[in-house]
Amino acid sequence: MALKKVLVIDDEPDFVTTICDRLQFDGYMALSATSAEEAFGIACKERPDLILLDIMMPGMDGIRLFKKFRSESKLASTPVIFVSVRGDVMNDPVISVDKHCHLLRKPFDMNALMHIIGECLAEV
Amino acid sequence: MKLQKITPLARQMLIMVATIVVAMTGAFLTYFIIQTRQVFDATLTEEGKAISNSIASTSEEGVANKDPLFLKKTFDALESHTNVVFIAAYGQDGHIIHTASNIVENIPGPHPFDIARVISGQSFRGTIIRVGNLEIDDYYAPVIPTPTPTTQPSVRVTPTAIGFIRMGMSRVKISAVEKRSITFSLLVAAVVMAAGILTASILSRRLVKPLVELQNMTKRISEGDLDAKLPVNSNDEIGVLSAAFNAMTQALRQTTVSRNYIDNILTSMNDALVVVSPEQAIAIVNKYALSLLGYDTEELIGRPLNLLFMEYPIDNERWEKLLAGETLSNIASSLRAKDGSSIVISLSMAPIFERQWRFTGAVIVARDIRESQRLLGQLKAHADDLERHREVLTSMLEDNEAARSLVEGEHLKMQAAVDSMVEGIVIFTATGDIALINPAARQMLQFGDDFKLSAEPIATALGIDLRTLIEGNNGPHKGHLLHDISIGETSPHIIRVEGAPVMYRNEHIGSILVLRDITRERQLDEAKHELITNVSHELRTPLAAIANIVSNILVGVTGPIGDKLRSHLNIANVNTKRLTNIIDNLLDIASLDTGRAVINKKMTDFSKIAQEATTALHPEIDQKLIKFNLSLPRGSLVVYCDAMSIGQVIRNLLNNAVRYTPQGGSVEVTVEAIAGNIQVTVQDTGIGIPTDEQKFIFERFHQIGRTYGPGEKGLGLGLPISRQLIEMHGGSIGVTSMPGKGSRFYFRIPYPIEEELIVTVLSDHLKGMSLTGDLPCLWLFTPNFLAEKTLSSFDDKIVAAALGRIESALHFILGNLNYVIAKIASKNEVAVVVSFESLDDLERTSAKITAAMKQLIFDHEGKALAMAISIGQLVCSDNKAKPRDLLDTIRKKNSASYT
């Protein structure tokens, strides 16, 4: 069975590193991007099984990036987990009705994150 | 003519006048008759004489010749004359020559005197001859021969009669005439008399009338009626008399009035009055004197005055003074009553003079001063009191004055205080007028200097409905209000308006508004919020990093770790979690405090929220080997709520449950829909909460006394925040706990569905309108099935399916928008509430909806049924509108268009 690909998008490198380490440890293939443009390119190319998306990023923010993902047919139903300090992302009308997205507020418990990732991938 | 009684005088006058009239008429009558007779007689005589003369002249020849035949001829010719009774011709000697009638024989012959007379040439009438009843005038006419012309004309020839004619004319005519004239005259006389009497009667009455009046008036006066007055109609003697009479009665009246008046005075006087004669004897004594002294009039009249006095005060000196014309007054003395008792009086005396020189006595007035003396004594006794009272009153007045100026001063001070307040004060009366507005308020309202203060514009500027203020205690908010409003276009200020009713003795007399310019505070708020947001991010990010790294290490990402390292790292882990918690709570509270915490209600999958909230705690649950169960209702549960807040609350409650439940315990989370609410229960088998602390746990900074595990205290903010979030949903939160056994935390939030949901959503949208500037729009869809049959002929299942079809079509169209759809099965409606940012967006969506609804077909049992759908649309522009009213409005429109 191929490893599940998880794309981590966050402008903070430290955060990305930490998450990716754990992902790998848990047996996922970790992909990362530190900007929206970079992320979009990788996402289209690699077609990850799950995307971890930070919202507050310079340039295009996470929400717009998400909508961009969703406009891509390949990524239309890819599970997305928003990770952010902000909790109001769910207020966005598009996001609130999207069946394949979740929110985990930073700071979160790493184990909890892994748990959610596991469940999301299991659903698919 | 009124038939009045003819008064005696009138009768007299009448008789008098009548007599005169009659007499005069009679005299006249007589005169007339006599005259007429005479004239007639004379005429007749003349006629007779003429006739006789004529006969005489024609008989000349006969007489001269003494020819009876000639005379007969002549006389026959004259027989026609009716009155002629006989004609006889006589000779000079008086012997008859001829006669036509035989009467002559019966009559006496001519008297020699007459013969002589006639022969001398006179023509005359003789004495009347009576033959039986007939009266005959006897005429004698001389027959004188015609003188032959003589040669000597100057010689007067005296003709001598050669004979005479005697003619008798009947006096019948004259008698008839006499009779006629008498009759006529009598008639005339009668008429004249009647008229005369009539006139006399009238005149007499008229003349007499004033006299009769006078008589009547006099009678009345004599009977005592002094008001009798005569009309003065003419300037004649009667008039003068009437006037004089009136004057007299007037004088009499006045005298009587005066006299009566004086009598009344004397009788009703409250003082004793005695008139004495020059001999000092009592002449008149009034009623009061009599009753005061106890005497009767008869007992005193004529008695000496000194009888009435204990000690006679009128000594010679005084009497002399009176005689000299002086008045004595205020003489103190004592009267002696009949029974001998003494009456203290004060008397005055004045002399009475007739025609200014003759002393006819004195009038004495005595006043009973016993009472006065007594009162005087009392008055004197009270004088001191009064003086004292006066002093007290004066000082009271001074105090009053002082108090008044004090109050005024205070009032002015208060006025000054109000005027110098930084806060604006506006006071409305109960009738909705402005009672007071201080300078600060004026400034905040930003009206120009020339603005005329009136209630309406001020209320509008402050965003207040005047009616609310007027209703005061009767209004929905009991006259209290609180809101912020932006005033001013160029430099807007945020003004906080707080209003309360003014009650005075249980009566609502007005409303007072306090205005505070919170622009600066708001700015500070903004700054704070900015700070918080930034701090939040800045604090959280590093914390997250640390937590993640520690977690990674513990998990083994960096490689295997020893127990000691593990335990150390565990401590680090725990502490970072604590820090996170604390920061979260602090920031939450700060967020809530600034009023920024806005809950954003949407149609949310409640089960999903619950699941996600619990997922985050799985690790900890697993670690503590706690038995966990989440029970959710069957099917999907879509609730209108703020997902984040609800999630946070569930997490908080679960966190507490896990924290305070020892190893191996159990935690159960139940979500259920009961009675129009969603209820979430978190039940644990933990240590519970002491009973006396149970009511405080939802208050800020309260920490449950004991701890469990190292450093588990936290800030004690989790539950208060949860409570606030639940209350912002209009729900409630609570706990029941048994110390040592466990705790049961629960919260409920309203779960409106169908029409209630639409009303709630619309209400929220309307409230939020002013902040967001969005346009809420309400749609109502009703299927009519016009294509087939009417709606009522279909059963419920079909209707439900149709409504479902409409709903899914709408989901598809509205897709990205923030909308709420609700089926109102009871009314066969589907309702939608959406807020649009712009009118363009609204119209575009509206067009899409209308187009879609036209083509809607739905399947039922293989049949495609076309639906005619009534679409009602209402754009809400008035944020004070009531949602139910809006629904009703649309319904009415819909039903109208349907029929």
Side-chain angles (χ1 to χ4, degrees):
Chain A
M1 191 175 69
L3 286 176
K4 299 277 184 180
K5 290 187 212 170
V6 177
L7 172 58
V8 180
I9 307 166
D10 197 309
D11 61 325
E12 283 191 62
D14 288 344
F15 181 79
V16 170
T17 316
T18 319
I19 304 267
C20 285
D21 280 352
R22 179 63 194 264
L23 280 169
Q24 278 175 347
F25 185 79
D26 273 23
Y28 297 100
M29 170 143 68
L31 304 165
S32 65
T34 51
S35 78
E37 294 72 24
E38 197 191 338
F40 191 71
I42 295 173
C44 291
K45 186 168 149 224
E46 298 286 344
R47 289 184 67 177
D49 298 295
L50 187 128
I51 298 173
L52 281 180
L53 181 49
D54 178 29
I55 293 175
M56 286 174 78
M57 288 193 296
M60 194 192 296
D61 68 38
I63 294 176
R64 278 171 57 201
L65 180 59
F66 171 78
K67 288 178 183 170
K68 206 166 164 191
F69 283 153
R70 283 292 185 255
S71 62
E72 272 297 309
S73 56
K74 290 180 266 186
L75 307 167
S77 51
T78 311
V80 170
I81 299 176
F82 290 98
V83 267
S84 181
V85 290
R86 279 174 54 178
D88 58 350
V89 68
M90 282 309 186
N91 292 341
D92 186 291
V94 177
I95 292 168
S96 59
V97 298
D98 192 303
K99 292 196 175 69
H100 303 287
C101 60
H102 305 265
L103 170 68
L104 195 56
R105 284 187 73 177
K106 278 200 252 186
F108 50 77
D109 182 61
M110 193 63 97
N111 296 330
L113 173 63
M114 289 301 136
H115 189 90
I116 293 176
I117 291 174
E119 280 188 7
C120 285
L121 287 171
E123 271 173 22
V124 174
Chain B
M1 191 169 75
K2 281 187 256 173
L3 291 172
Q4 292 164 315
K5 237 179 32 165
I6 301 179
T7 60
L9 186 58
R11 194 167 46 234
Q12 277 180 5
M13 268 195 76
L14 178 62
I15 292 168
M16 194 174 74
V17 172
T19 312
I20 292 170
V21 167
V22 167
M24 278 179 65
T25 315
F28 179 71
L29 188 66
T30 315
Y31 176 72
F32 179 70
I33 293 171
I34 293 171
Q35 277 295 93
T36 314
R37 250 187 109 180
Q38 274 186 352
V39 163
F40 207 76
D41 203 42
T43 313
L44 211 58
T45 308
E46 285 306 315
E47 195 189 330
K49 272 163 71 178
I51 295 172
S52 63
N53 279 333
S54 158
I55 297 171
S57 64
T58 49
S59 310
E60 186 192 324
E61 218 184 293
V63 170
N65 302 332
K66 293 202 172 109
D67 184 4
L69 276 163
F70 185 82
L71 291 170
K72 187 176 185 282
K73 260 204 283 192
T74 316
F75 289 168
D76 286 344
L78 299 164
E79 272 176 6
S80 57
H81 203 287
T82 46
N83 281 348
V84 175
V85 177
F86 68 88
I87 305 173
Y90 292 81
Q92 217 173 17
D93 50 11
H95 283 90
I96 194 165
I97 303 172
H98 174 72
T99 179
S101 94
N102 46 15
I103 294 171
V104 177
E105 294 162 10
N106 301 332
I107 57 170
H111 201 271
F113 186 67
D114 289 334
I115 294 170
R117 200 166 155 207
V118 72
I119 293 298
S120 68
Q122 279 183 30
S123 176
F124 63 93
R125 195 184 68 183
T127 51
I128 298 171
I129 304 168
R130 285 190 182 82
V131 175
N133 282 341
L134 198 64
E135 282 187 345
I136 299 165
D137 276 329
D138 198 8
Y139 287 94
Y140 293 90
V143 175
I144 299 171
T146 40
T148 50
T150 58
T151 51
Q152 294 179 334
S154 57
V155 174
R156 274 207 45 191
V157 177
T158 309
T160 325
I162 53 170
F164 64 90
I165 299 293
R166 192 180 174 204
M167 185 190 78
M169 273 182 79
S170 130
R171 290 180 66 88
V172 165
K173 206 172 177 182
I174 196 171
S175 305
V177 165
E178 268 183 13
K179 281 205 186 91
R180 265 218 303 278
S181 72
I182 288 171
T183 314
F184 177 70
S185 308
L186 280 172
L187 208 64
V188 168
V191 169
V192 167
M193 265 191 338
I197 290 171
L198 186 70
T199 313
S201 168
I202 294 171
L203 271 173
S204 66
R205 259 187 251 250
R206 278 187 62 186
L207 281 170
V208 160
K209 189 166 157 212
L211 292 170
V212 169
E213 288 268 336
L214 188 62
Q215 177 194 10
N216 287 339
M217 291 299 161
T218 314
K219 190 161 167 218
R220 276 169 68 180
I221 287 175
S222 69
E223 282 165 3
D225 178 3
L226 290 180
D227 287 325
K229 202 167 170 195
L230 285 173
V232 177
N233 288 332
S234 49
N235 276 342
D236 60 9
E237 291 81 346
I238 302 288
V240 170
L241 180 61
S242 304
F245 183 80
N246 287 340
M248 184 196 76
T249 50
Q250 173 85 342
L252 193 63
R253 255 206 303 273
Q254 281 177 342
T255 315
T256 312
V257 163
S258 308
R259 210 189 46 223
N260 288 345
Y261 190 57
I262 292 168
D263 276 344
N264 281 340
I265 292 172
L266 289 184
T267 311
S268 44
M269 268 172 81
N270 265 358
D271 291 327
L273 183 140
V274 174
V275 176
V276 294
S277 66
E279 296 76 36
Q280 298 187 28
I282 299 168
I284 297 174
V285 59
N286 80 341
K287 192 165 156 196
Y288 186 83
L290 292 173
S291 67
L292 180 68
L293 297 167
Y295 285 104
D296 294 323
T297 320
E298 311 80 57
E299 293 171 306
L300 291 181
I301 301 289
R303 305 294 300 280
L305 183 60
N306 58 10
L307 172 69
L308 303 178
F309 287 90
M310 302 295 277
E311 201 181 294
Y312 195 48
I314 307 172
D315 53 21
N316 286 337
E317 195 190 322
R318 284 188 171 145
W319 191 249
E320 288 301 315
K321 280 195 184 152
L322 277 178
L323 288 172
E326 270 183 53
T327 305
L328 312 171
S329 47
N330 289 334
I331 300 171
S333 182
S334 314
L335 292 176
R336 191 212 306 266
K338 188 173 178 186
D339 60 12
S341 60
S342 160
I343 303 167
V344 180
I345 48 115
S346 166
L347 63 82
S348 309
M349 294 181 61
I352 305 171
F353 288 101
E354 194 185 292
R355 291 195 205 141
Q356 295 177 341
W357 60 270
R358 207 175 110 203
F359 180 73
T360 54
V363 57
I364 303 158
V365 178
R367 171 156 291 175
D368 182 349
I369 56 169
R370 290 174 296 182
E371 189 63 20
S372 312
Q373 284 190 328
R374 195 178 62 79
L375 285 171
L376 196 64
Q378 280 185 345
L379 274 172
K380 287 206 177 95
H382 285 229
D384 285 337
D385 273 353
L386 276 173
E387 183 55 33
R388 268 187 281 116
H389 282 140
R390 191 190 64 80
E391 282 163 19
V392 167
L393 275 171
T394 312
S395 71
M396 269 177 69
L397 271 170
E398 285 166 355
D399 289 346
N400 232 18
E401 192 50 38
R404 201 188 59 77
S405 33
L406 189 70
V407 166
E408 203 173 299
E410 291 302 313
H411 175 78
L412 288 169
K413 280 187 209 161
M414 206 180 72
Q415 183 80 37
V418 169
D419 282 347
S420 49
M421 273 169 79
V422 169
E423 291 87 347
I425 304 283
V426 181
I427 301 182
F428 288 91
T429 64
T431 50
D433 301 311
I434 299 283
L436 182 145
I437 176 163
N438 73 345
R442 272 177 206 254
Q443 201 199 8
M444 283 184 212
L445 284 164
Q446 290 192 30
F447 291 139
D449 280 335
D450 54 348
F451 173 72
K452 278 213 178 84
L453 290 177
S454 69
E456 271 292 340
I458 291 177
T460 314
L462 293 174
I464 297 167
D465 185 351
L466 258 186
R467 280 170 300 166
T468 320
L469 289 182
I470 293 169
E471 280 166 23
N473 254 3
N474 302 325
H477 305 290
K478 297 210 184 281
H480 288 268
L481 54 91
L482 170 62
H483 63 252
D484 302 336
I485 187 151
S486 174
I487 298 181
E489 306 265 323
T490 42
S491 69
H493 282 245
I494 312 283
I495 306 292
R496 171 156 293 175
V497 184
E498 260 186 277
V502 178
M503 306 299 289
Y504 180 68
R505 293 187 186 168
N506 270 332
E507 214 185 286
H508 173 245
I509 60 166
S511 307
I512 179 166
L513 302 177
V514 179
L515 313 179
R516 265 184 300 134
D517 190 336
I518 55 168
T519 318
R520 183 112 176 85
E521 281 168 43
R522 278 286 178 91
Q523 285 166 349
L524 287 172
D525 259 1
E526 296 279 350
K528 228 198 314 182
H529 191 258
E530 282 291 311
L531 183 65
I532 286 167
T533 315
N534 291 338
V535 164
S536 161
H537 188 80
E538 295 307 314
L539 282 178
R540 282 198 164 113
T541 315
L543 255 182
I546 296 170
N548 290 340
I549 287 165
V550 169
S551 173
N552 273 4
I553 298 171
L554 278 172
V555 159
V557 170
T558 52
I561 52 172
D563 288 336
K564 234 184 179 156
L565 188 53
R566 180 169 297 278
S567 65
H568 272 82
L569 288 174
N570 270 332
I571 293 167
N573 211 10
V574 161
N575 278 291
T576 50
K577 283 217 183 81
R578 269 183 65 204
L579 260 181
T580 311
N581 246 359
I582 289 167
I583 292 168
D584 279 348
N585 281 349
L586 259 179
L587 293 170
D588 272 347
I589 281 290
S591 176
L592 285 167
D593 270 355
T594 61
R596 281 294 178 142
V598 171
I599 55 163
N600 229 316
K601 288 200 268 188
K602 287 186 176 21
M603 299 302 276
T604 325
D605 184 343
F606 205 86
S607 302
K608 189 162 157 196
I609 300 173
Q611 273 174 326
E612 285 193 349
T614 56
T615 311
L617 282 147
H618 278 315
E620 211 171 319
I621 290 169
D622 293 337
Q623 202 186 36
K624 279 173 101 168
L625 300 171
I626 289 170
K627 261 203 342 247
F628 176 75
N629 187 37
L630 171 65
S631 95
L632 298 165
R634 235 173 268 191
S636 73
L637 185 62
V638 177
V639 180
Y640 182 62
C641 67
D642 180 18
M644 217 189 67
S645 313
I646 299 298
Q648 187 174 338
V649 172
I650 297 177
R651 266 197 307 279
N652 174 233
L653 295 181
L654 189 54
N655 211 351
N656 286 342
V658 169
R659 197 195 301 170
Y660 293 108
T661 303
Q663 293 258 32
S666 74
V667 171
E668 182 151 346
V669 178
T670 320
V671 176
E672 46 196 346
I674 319 172
N677 290 322
I678 298 289
Q679 181 165 292
V680 175
T681 319
V682 177
Q683 174 97 51
D684 67 52
T685 55
I687 56 178
I689 305 163
T691 24
D692 51 345
E693 295 199 38
Q694 280 177 29
K695 30 181 193 302
F696 297 114
I697 53 169
F698 288 101
E699 284 175 34
R700 285 191 189 179
F701 305 118
H702 180 94
Q703 293 174 359
I704 317 284
R706 15 77 276 117
T707 61
Y708 185 85
E712 288 281 4
K713 271 197 185 164
L715 282 174
L717 289 173
L719 284 172
I721 293 171
S722 295
R723 179 168 81 166
Q724 197 152 349
L725 289 171
I726 293 300
E727 280 175 0
M728 282 167 90
H729 275 83
S732 60
I733 192 167
V735 63
T736 53
S737 180
M738 282 275 267
K741 292 269 173 62
S743 308
R744 179 175 163 273
F745 279 84
Y746 62 90
F747 71 85
R748 286 191 206 103
I749 55 168
Y751 177 38
I753 54 167
E754 301 201 351
E755 184 161 330
E756 273 309 304
L757 176 59
I758 294 295
V759 168
T760 310
V761 173
L762 202 47
S763 177
D764 287 345
H765 278 243
L766 288 169
K767 266 188 236 160
M769 251 174 88
S770 46
L771 287 169
T772 60
D774 288 346
L775 285 167
C777 184
L778 171 66
W779 269 281
L780 211 63
F781 303 92
T782 318
N784 296 331
F785 294 97
L786 281 178
E788 298 277 340
K789 297 173 221 176
T790 55
L791 191 55
S792 49
S793 59
F794 290 88
D795 67 35
D796 291 338
K797 268 200 276 188
I798 300 182
V799 174
L803 293 177
R805 181 77 188 89
I806 296 174
E807 193 182 351
S808 51
L810 287 167
H811 275 300
F812 186 75
I813 298 165
L814 294 171
N816 290 349
L817 298 169
N818 179 12
Y819 64 90
V820 173
I821 296 187
K823 276 205 289 267
I824 307 176
S826 57
K827 300 222 164 66
N828 298 329
E829 290 166 350
V830 175
V832 174
V833 178
V834 194
S835 273
F836 291 94
E837 279 172 8
S838 72
L839 207 54
D840 285 336
D841 291 343
L842 197 156
E843 276 163 10
R844 251 178 298 154
T845 310
S846 179
K848 273 197 241 173
I849 289 175
T850 314
M853 292 295 140
K854 279 209 182 90
Q855 304 160 357
L856 217 52
I857 299 173
F858 93 109
D859 273 317
H860 178 69
E861 293 167 1
K863 272 202 295 187
L865 293 171
M867 284 196 282
I869 299 171
S870 297
I871 305 174
Q873 183 186 343
L874 192 63
V875 179
C876 315
S877 46
D878 174 18
N879 66 344
K880 294 202 186 63
K882 302 232 169 61
R884 274 181 231 278
D885 293 343
L886 295 172
L887 263 179
D888 284 337
T889 312
I890 283 202
R891 281 187 180 131
K892 282 200 191 90
K893 275 206 284 191
N894 248 7
S895 64
S897 65
Y898 170 45
T899 50

